[in-house]
Amino acid sequence: MTEIELRVNGSLRTVATQPDRSLLAVLREDLRLTGTKYGCGEGECGSCTVLLDGEAVRSCQVSVSEVGSRSVTTVEGLAKDGRLNPVQQAFVELGSFQCGYCTPGMVVRATALLRSNPMPSREEIRRGLEGNLCRCCGYAGILRAIERAVELAQGARRDL
Amino acid sequence: MRDLARPRRPWDRTPPADREYFDVLGPGLVALLPGRRPDESAGGGWRPPTGGAWLHVDPQGNAIAFTGKAEVGQGTRAALTVVVSDGLRVSPDRVDLVMGDTDLCPWDMGTFGSRSMPDAAPALGSVAGGARTALIGLAAERTGRPTSELDAEDGEVRLRDGGGAISYGDLVRDRNRLVTVAALESWVPTPKGRSPPAFPPKPGADIVTGARVYGSDLHPSGLLYGALLHPPAYGARLASVDLTAVERLADVTIVRDGSFVGVVAPTLRAARAAVGEIRATWDRTNQPDEDSIEGYLRAHPMEGDFWDQEEDTAGDVDAAYGRAPVTIAQTYRTAFIAHVPLETRSAVAEWDGPRLTVWVGTQTPFRARDTIAEGLGLTPEQVRVIVPPTGAGFGGKHGGDLGIAAARLARAAHRPVRLAYSREEEFRFAYFRPMSVIDVRAGTDREGRLVAWAFHNINGGSAALLAPYRVTDRRVDNELSLSPLPQGSYRALAATANNFARETAIDELARAAGVDPLAMRRMNLDDDRLRAVLDRAVERADWHRWSRVPGRGHGLAVGLEKDSRVATVAEITVSEDGRVRLDRLVTAFEAGAIVHPENLRSQVEGATTMGIGGALFEAVRFEAGSVKNPHLAQYRVPRFSDLPELVVELVDRPDLPPSGAGETPMIAVAPAIGNAICDATGTRVRRLPLTPDGRIPGPDSR
C-alpha cells in the first residue's frame, strides 16, 4: 500500500492503495465517484473517460501512480455551482440518452473536444467521439446534442 | 424517487385488504386494479401478462404509481408517466413511478417482447382513470352535488358551472381510502375534445452529472466484492478443486457448494486475484465448432411441445411449388450474437436476518425473485428484488443467477456483496442470440404473385414467423434445437432472423420474376397498415428517383411484429474490394398511438443503428465450446463511424392502442442492406452478418 495524493475535481484527496491500480478503480471504489463508468477495462469503450489537466483519457488505462500532479476532472466536476455545462445542458435538453450509462464518458469526451475546437464540423465530432461506444446506439441523438452544445456555448459565450 | 419503507410481505403475494398501503405511503387515496398471478389463472394455460396496477394520491396532490415493468433504458418510464398523468388529469411533474421492486409493485411477467406499453399502459391508464373517478366521487360527497356536475382536470375537481374547485390533495387529506377499479380498459391518448397530454419534465440531470446510481455503483455500508470461478468451456464440469492457496489469504472468504466456487474480498482486484489462485480441473465434453454448428442444430431438434412454436399450413405447398413458373429454394443463416450491455451484469445482495434484498439489473424482477428464493431455499416472501437504474439489457438480463451467487457470497461473508462481471466474463458467461437456419422454398406466377411459400426456421424462434403476404398454398413452421451454446432472449431475436430470410427471399423472387421489388411487395402484402408504412418509407426515400451509379445500390424491406410495422430503405456504396458503406437508412414506423414522440424517435433511431451491427459485422466466434472473441477489440459493435444518415418517419395512429417500439424498428435493417448489396453488385448474401470480415464474403461463405 502506498499513500497517493490526487487532485480530483479541485480537491486534494489522499488514498492508500497499491500504486498499480487503475485510476478508474480508485475513483469508483475508494473515492466513490461512480459517475465514471466501467464498460470494458480494456480501453475500448470510453465509458471511463476523465480529464487529466484537461486532456480526455481512459481512466481504466491509467494507473493511479501515473497521475502525479495532474488534476483529474470527472463527470461530477463539470457542472459549476450546480449549473450544467453546455454539453450537459444539451444532452438533457434533447434527451440524448437511453440507458444513460455511456453518457458520462460521452459528456466528458465532448467537453474536451469543444474546449480544443469550439466550432467542430459534424465530421470532427464523429471522429472525436469514435472511441466512445453507446450500445443503445443513440449516436444520432448524441451528435445532435453536441451540435446543440456548440450553439449553447457560442450563444452564451460560456466557458466549458 | 421517494424512499419507501419495506412492507411486511411483498404486496403481490398479499391479499389487497392486508396490504399496509397507508403505513408505507401515508394517508390519501389508493386505487387498485387487481391482477391475477399466473398460478391462479384458470386452466393454467393462459398467462396474464401483468398483475394489475396501483396508485396512491397523497394530501399534497402528488401521485405515485406502481408497475412491475422495469426501466432498463428503453424509456418507458417517461411514456408511462404520460399515461398516468393523462388518466388522472394531473400535471406529469406530480407523478412518480415505482418500477421493478418486487415488494411494492404488482406482479409482472417481465420487460421483454415489446410488452411494456401493451401491458402497462392499459393497466396504469385504467387505475389512473379509476382514481380520477374516485376523486370526483369524494368531491360529490363533500359538496353534495351529483357527479354529473363535476369534472376533474389539472389536479382538481371542478364544478362544471364554474362554481369552484377542490384540489386532489384536499380531497384525500386525512383519509385512508382504498378503491378498487373493476375493469382493465385499453388506453389511447387524448380522448376527443381534450388537450393532449403534457410531457414529464426533462429527466437526465442525474445522468449527465454522473449522480445516477446504477446497480454496479451501489455501495451499501460494509460492501465487499465477489468473484466467481468459471468453467473453461460450455459443458465443462468441475472435477476437482484445490483451494489451499486461497485459504491462506487474509480477508478472503471462500464459498464452495457443489460446482459453485466463489470468493469475497475487500476490493474487486483482491477478489479476482483470489479466484486466480484456485486450482481446478474440469471434465470437458465435445462441442461443435463453427463449421459443424449448422449440422448440429439440424440434427438435434428439441423434442415435444415447447412454448415458442408456431405453425401455419394451408393448401398444398409442394404441388403449388412444383407448378410455379418462378421459384427459389435457399437457406438463410444468422449468427450467434452478444447483447453487450454497456453495464455488465451485476448484483448486490444484502441480508437483514432471514430477509434478503438483491439489487439486480434484471428485466424479469419477479422471475428473478422466485429463482433466487428457490436457489437459496427461501420463500419468495423473504426475497426482495429491486431493479436499480440499469445500463441496458436488450434481452440479456433475464436471469437471477448473479443474484443467487451474490446472495450466497453475502450470506457467507455476513456483509453485503457486489458481484459484477468483467467485460470478458460478460462475453464468455452470458447467453447469446440463437443462431437461426431458415429453409425457404417459394414460388410466384409470371407477374410476381406469390403462389407457394414454405418457410422453416430451425433454432431461431417464432416471432414474426408468419408472412404478411397473401399466399394460399403455404407451410410455415419452426423448431428449436438443443444448442451447444447458451442461448436466450435478445432484442427482436427471432423477428430479425425470420424477417431477414423472408425479405431476402421476396427480393430474390422479384428478381427471378423480373418484377420491381417495391411492386412485388405492394402486389402481395396482406396488411393495409404495413402497406401505408411502406408507402411512407419509399416516398421519403424518393425510391423511384434513384439514379443508378456503379457501386451504389438501394434495397428495401418491410416487417410486422407484435402489432408494430416497419419499412426500411437502405442506400449503400460498395467499394471495389467489397467494403460496404451505409449512406442512408430511411425507416417508417408505426406502433399505434404515439405516446411520447421524442422517446419513440430515440427508440427507432437506436434500434435501427443497433440493427446495423447484427446486419454487417456482429458474430460470436467460438471453438471447442469457448468464445474466441470475448473483447470489444474483437467483437465489433456499431460506433460513430458506422452511423449513416438516419431518416425516421413516425406514423401516428391515435385511434389504436400503443404497441411496442423497442424491437420492430430493427427487423427490416438487415434485409434492406442485403438487398441493397445485391442491387449494387449482383451478389446475394444469405447469411448474417453480411460482411463478417469487413467485406462481402466469397462464394463459399455467403
Side-chain angles (χ1 to χ4, degrees), chain A residues 93-111:
Chain A
E93 192 181 296
L94 301 187
S96 293
F97 32 70
Q98 289 185 28
C99 80
Y101 196 80
C102 73
T103 310
M106 292 280 181
V107 165
V108 172
R109 172 74 59 178
T111 297

Side-chain angles (χ1 to χ4, degrees), chain B residues 346-349 356 358-360 372 376 399-408 419:
Chain B
S346 72
V348 173
L356 169 68
V358 179
W359 291 265
V360 55
I372 291 167
L376 295 166
D401 292 359
L402 240 56
I404 297 175
R408 281 176 158 178
L419 197 54

Side-chain angles (χ1 to χ4, degrees), chain B residues 561-572:
Chain B
E561 187 209 10
K562 298 178 179 121
D563 214 31
S564 301
R565 274 97 177 146
V566 68
T568 298
V569 175
E571 297 169 357
I572 65 163

Side-chain angles (χ1 to χ4, degrees), chain A residues 18 20 28-29 32 35 37-39 42 75 88 93 98-100 102 126 129-130 133 135-136 139 144, chain B residues 73 202 208 214 216-217 219 269 338-340 394 422-423 602-603 605 618 631 638-641 643:
Chain A
Q18 289 153 318
D20 61 339
R28 288 180 55 79
E29 294 173 29
R32 308 277 171 89
K37 301 302 183 198
Y38 169 87
E42 298 167 351
V75 69
Q88 295 172 308
E93 192 181 296
Q98 289 185 28
C99 80
C102 73
R126 288 167 66 124
L129 275 290
E130 175 71 2
L133 300 181
R135 184 53 166 166
C136 303
Y139 297 111
R144 288 193 292 269
Chain B
K202 293 279 183 190
V208 300
Y214 290 80
S216 52
D217 303 330
H219 207 293
R269 189 155 91 153
H339 304 86
V340 202
F394 312 120
S422 69
R423 178 57 57 192
S602 168
Q603 279 297 307
E605 286 182 348
E618 284 185 47
H631 302 281
R639 40 180 71 235
F640 262 101
S641 52
L643 178 70

Side-chain angles (χ1 to χ4, degrees), chain A residues 21-66:
Chain A
R21 280 174 77 218
S22 70
L23 175 59
L24 172 67
V26 170
L27 288 172
R28 288 180 55 79
E29 294 173 29
D30 300 18
L31 302 179
R32 308 277 171 89
L33 289 167
T34 54
T36 306
K37 301 302 183 198
Y38 169 87
C40 68
E42 298 167 351
E44 291 291 335
C45 77
S47 306
C48 66
T49 304
V50 300
L51 303 180
L52 278 190
D53 276 352
E55 185 197 350
V57 300
R58 293 167 171 143
S59 62
C60 74
Q61 297 297 299
V62 178
S63 73
V64 65
S65 61
E66 288 175 281

Side-chain angles (χ1 to χ4, degrees), chain B residues 420-493:
Chain B
Y421 272 178
S422 69
R423 178 57 57 192
E424 181 173 353
E425 286 179 298
E426 177 71 35
F427 272 112
R428 285 191 188 281
F429 307 110
Y431 54 87
F432 308 119
R433 184 186 79 179
M435 177 180 179
S436 283
V437 180
I438 300 173
D439 296 324
V440 179
R441 284 189 310 140
T444 70
D445 65 16
R446 294 194 191 286
E447 285 73 47
R449 261 178 294 274
L450 280 175
V451 296
W453 184 254
F455 189 99
H456 181 63
N457 179 320
I458 298 163
N459 197 48
S462 69
L465 186 71
L466 306 185
Y469 299 108
R470 257 185 317 274
V471 54
T472 310
D473 294 294
R474 60 184 185 268
R475 183 173 60 240
V476 180
D477 56 9
N478 76 303
E479 61 180 293
L480 295 187
S481 305
L482 296 166
S483 166
L485 297 188
Q487 58 184 28
S489 179
Y490 197 100
R491 189 180 197 182
L493 72 100

